[in-house]
Amino acid sequence: MFSKKKRLLAEYSDAELVERYRFDSAGIHFLEGLIGNELMSGSRRNCAISPLQKILLTLRFLATGKMQLCNGDDMGVSQPTVSRAITATLRSLSSPQICAQFIKFPLNVHEIRKNQEEFFKIAGFPGIVGAIDGTHVQIIAPSDYENEYVNRHHYHSINTQVVFDPFHKIIDVVAKWPGSTHDSRILNESGLKSLFDQNRIPLHTHLLGDSGYPSKRWLLTPFLRPNQGCQTNYNRAHKKTRSIVERGIGQLKRRFHVLHGEIRLSPDKTCQVIVACCILHNICKDRQIPCPLDDGDLDDSQQDDGDGLNVQLGQNVNDGIRYRQLFAETHF
């Protein structure tokens, strides 16, 4: 049994590995080098599985969303062993140290300018460092605070805030809020807001968000009833540019199918799943590992459009609205 496990990477081609585990052989070994030491605990017992096997079990679970498929599929281990292996691997993958290594919001001028130039190529919208949105990841009804997890689509979820750069890489993620929480509140209580409010981001650097967010000097939202001229031109470019985040979330959920269905884990463990998937997505992007069946234009069908209402909260509402109007008049 164990010799078969060790032959797994040799028996499958890279294409077959990507189909099953979303990583090729070199990528899987990269993950082993990244978190293998953290997964060594208990591995010296008789019949214990190795860090590599724990990683493969976890990747298979994230790729399919079905923990039971990991049981007899190539590994031949018991369901409790599968569960323990996945729990340990998710804990290591979603640790603050690993997250900080692979999900980074650009802070220096060179990185910011690179993003701005690439976003500008899409539709001529200047000054954009990232596109932000919320996406719901469905969960089984939790035993505590169950009602708080029911979102406006009437199912239980984690509302996850995510920001993508123009290369469809994730540069910020917040995965901890119950599904009933509005996108605007998640942003308002996030570290991302603090970065901008404390002027740690250069002036004239913006995020693009939908109408579920309040207009700010650093967060540009669409006009709800645009006038002909600059407002209409602004909205057209805004929509085309912001589609980056819709396609990015679509790619993330296509790559890791666990995010598509109902995750039958506690909210805390589900949040680990989400963060781990985001980290793995970025590693795949860095290593140019293709997303299976990804046509590059997949949108997230569960995107929240903010109910078509601009949410204006806080003391700087009018300032944000005036700034958006001036921005539109200046650039469009």
Side-chain angles (χ1 to χ4, degrees), residues 275-295:
V275 172
C277 287
C278 290
I279 290 168
L280 293 170
H281 171 85
N282 278 2
I283 294 174
C284 286
K285 288 291 184 181
D286 289 340
R287 302 184 68 85
Q288 299 183 323
I289 299 174
C291 184
L293 304 176
D294 184 10
D295 60 7

Side-chain angles (χ1 to χ4, degrees), residues 131-135 160-164 170 172-174 245 249 278:
I132 186 172
D133 209 344
T135 187
T160 302
Q161 175 181 286
V162 64
V163 182
F164 279 84
I170 296 164
D172 188 75
V173 61
V174 178
V245 70
I249 293 172
C278 290

